[in-house]
Amino acid sequence: MVPRVFRVMSRSAGSTPVRQAMGLVVVFAVVNLVTLGFAYLSLRSSAEEAMRSNLVQLMAGFDVAASPGAAEVMVTAAAEAADPAHRVFAYIAPDGRVTGNADARLTADGVEIRPMPEGRPLGRDGYLPLIDRKAGGVLIIGESLTPIRELGRTFLGLLALSLVPTVLISLGLGAALAARARARVERIEQALGRLSEGALDTRIPAEPGRADDLARIGARINRMAEAQEAATEALKQVSADIAHDLKTPLQRMTVLLHDLREGLAPGGREAGLADRALAEAEGAVAVFQGLLRIAQIEGGGTRPPSVPVDLNALVASMAELYGPDAEEAGRALTLDLAPATLAVPGDKGLIGQALANLIENALRHTPDGTAISLRTAVDGGRPVIEIADRGPGIPEEEREKVLRRLYRLERSRTTPGHGLGLALVAATARLHGAELDLLDNAPGLKVRMAFPAGRDRGA
């Protein structure tokens, strides 16, 4: 039980209930120590004072001894009646002879009391001595300190009996409170973590009957998450509605521009303007198609089937597809496939589109003569796809932002693209339960997509 309490306390050392419990234990222990300490010192002082008074009275009884011989007779009689383990009498005559039930010798620090040869044993706890000159010699009466030592041992036992159970009970209650509070705080932390990762449907479980600070914090977080989810869903719906409503007119405009372009003589100013208008219209159509695709994925309109997708075969086919384009652009695609077959349940078309977006980004942003590597592997049981290039990379503080829809780096605003490629990759990764990381390739960018291990993502 005790080791378990300490394990809980050590795991919860930073929690407020544990710190409060430990503080109360320390305060109680200090108060207990101070109270018992003062009581012990007071009782010890009283006991020593009583012993000294008794010694003074005993010493006064020898005042009638007028000569060393009379003193020796009186000391011998008192010594025979006393147990040297409790009280000693010793008289050092003027000639140095010692009479009594103990041998005594004066020292610079006072007196040294030793047993008499073949005499009864002395006490183990020492003596409180009183020394006085009598009849030309020195009389020493010593009272055993055993009662004082027993008093100290009694107080130590009292301290242990009063302090140890209280400390253990306080620690046990503190550990129980800490474990409950820690579990509740961990649930809140986990919910906040999922909310920060974009899982806005996450809620902290309700705790009926509780109205403490943690319950109020959980309720406020749930209300905030509900408001954020509603606002996000409304924004997604508006984006999808706009994209859907404008897609058809834009496609019609593109068809009309095609017809207009075919009716103009090549090389003229009108033909050039028509070409530019047609390119802009096709770009707008691509943007709206991308927005609709992302909205469809995030809104649950697309779910990955449970059909296994061979990642090795898919990556190899993408490398073969984009190999000529890379060679024509002065770049090389390198392929490094895992030796074992990597099959994950999912949507082959979506994963392939995500790979295509990543390869096109790499081709667009890398300098001539550099290589773009495509790699599959198994990391901790998780199937992994990596696309790495030697381009300028993405600053660490921008890596989260580029996964948003229509966000583009400042340096990329003059290059082709609409800021939807990485957003579609991120949506595809979330749909398949994969972890998407944008890493530094030193130099360049490495995009890593790690799929869950041994999980049916199509369920």
Side-chain angles (χ1 to χ4, degrees):
M1 174 66 182
V2 174
R4 182 174 178 273
V5 167
F6 280 105
R7 284 197 300 272
V8 173
M9 297 292 279
S10 63
R11 288 197 303 267
S12 308
S15 69
T16 300
V18 168
R19 291 199 299 270
Q20 291 174 344
M22 293 296 292
L24 289 174
V25 168
V26 170
V27 169
F28 178 82
V30 170
V31 171
N32 211 5
L33 284 171
V34 171
T35 304
L36 288 176
F38 275 118
Y40 167 70
L41 293 175
S42 176
L43 287 175
R44 175 173 174 164
S45 176
S46 298
E48 288 181 351
E49 188 62 32
M51 291 170 66
R52 291 183 193 280
S53 298
N54 190 38
L55 288 174
V56 168
Q57 291 178 1
L58 290 171
M59 186 68 74
F62 290 89
D63 288 343
V64 296
S67 65
E72 288 179 347
V73 171
M74 294 181 69
V75 167
T76 300
E80 288 179 353
D83 184 356
H86 300 102
R87 184 179 296 153
V88 295
F89 293 88
Y91 177 69
I92 304 174
D95 60 1
R97 187 175 64 256
V98 178
T99 302
N101 59 1
D103 187 16
R105 183 173 64 87
L106 297 177
T107 64
D109 298 328
V111 63
E112 179 184 355
I113 299 175
R114 297 172 295 184
M116 277 289 194
E118 299 180 1
R120 287 179 289 178
L122 302 181
R124 294 178 299 177
D125 297 317
Y127 296 88
L128 177 66
L130 183 62
I131 305 169
D132 199 4
R133 293 192 174 273
K134 300 289 183 182
V138 177
L139 178 60
I140 301 161
I141 304 176
E143 193 77 21
S144 173
L145 291 173
T146 296
I148 303 295
R149 300 288 185 266
E150 288 179 351
L151 181 64
R153 287 190 284 269
T154 300
F155 267 87
L156 285 176
L158 257 172
L159 184 64
L161 288 174
S162 63
L163 191 60
V164 172
T166 303
V167 169
L168 292 178
I169 291 172
S170 300
L171 288 176
L173 290 175
L177 290 173
R180 294 178 64 183
R182 182 167 173 262
R184 296 175 68 193
V185 170
E186 282 182 350
R187 286 197 296 269
I188 293 175
E189 288 178 341
Q190 290 169 1
L192 287 173
R194 290 193 294 270
L195 287 171
S196 66
E197 292 170 358
L200 298 179
D201 59 341
T202 302
R203 298 292 182 270
I204 297 170
E207 298 178 285
R210 286 187 179 272
D212 57 8
D213 51 353
L214 290 179
R216 291 195 299 271
I217 290 172
R220 285 180 178 271
I221 291 174
N222 285 343
R223 288 197 294 271
M224 178 193 71
E226 289 170 3
Q228 185 69 24
E229 183 181 21
T232 303
E233 289 301 322
L235 181 60
K236 288 180 180 178
Q237 187 61 45
V238 169
S239 299
D241 291 344
I242 292 174
H244 184 271
D245 292 343
L246 292 180
K247 179 183 174 184
T248 301
L250 282 171
Q251 287 176 333
R252 290 173 182 167
M253 182 176 66
T254 303
V255 172
L256 293 173
L257 287 172
H258 269 292
D259 293 342
L260 175 63
R261 176 65 184 84
E262 289 175 1
L264 296 174
R269 180 174 177 275
E270 293 81 0
L273 290 173
D275 287 336
R276 289 172 58 188
L278 184 58
E280 293 293 338
E282 289 175 344
V285 171
V287 168
F288 285 117
Q289 286 176 337
L291 286 172
L292 283 172
R293 189 60 165 154
I294 293 172
Q296 186 181 23
I297 294 172
E298 292 181 338
T302 299
R303 294 192 61 80
S306 57
V307 178
V309 177
D310 187 342
L311 296 183
N312 280 346
L314 182 59
V315 172
S317 66
M318 298 304 294
E320 183 180 357
L321 177 65
Y322 281 93
D325 292 338
E327 185 176 353
E328 183 179 345
R331 296 163 183 79
L333 284 180
T334 64
L335 195 59
D336 179 14
L337 300 178
T341 301
L342 299 183
V344 297
D347 188 315
K348 182 178 179 181
L350 281 178
I351 299 175
Q353 183 61 55
L355 288 174
N357 289 354
L358 293 173
I359 294 172
E360 289 174 4
N361 277 350
L363 289 173
R364 190 179 301 125
H365 297 292
T366 53
D368 292 345
T370 58
I372 299 167
S373 67
L374 307 180
R375 176 175 174 266
T376 62
V378 177
D379 185 1
R382 306 179 67 183
V384 173
I385 298 175
E386 287 183 355
I387 296 92
D389 61 53
R390 293 293 180 179
I394 298 176
E396 186 173 356
E397 63 273 12
E398 298 276 356
R399 290 174 190 167
E400 182 129 2
K401 297 177 183 177
V402 297
L403 300 178
R404 302 174 187 169
R405 284 175 279 189
L406 303 176
Y407 185 88
R408 303 191 71 194
L409 294 174
E410 192 62 35
R411 66 166 181 265
S412 303
R413 296 190 182 279
T414 58
T415 60
H418 310 290
L420 292 173
L422 288 176
L424 181 60
V425 173
T428 300
R430 285 193 295 271
L431 180 69
H432 290 79
E435 183 179 336
L436 181 67
D437 291 309
L438 306 184
L439 308 170
D440 187 4
N441 199 38
L445 177 67
K446 179 189 292 184
V447 180
R448 185 176 187 272
M449 191 184 299
F451 293 85
R455 221 180 83 191
D456 186 0
R457 290 166 293 278

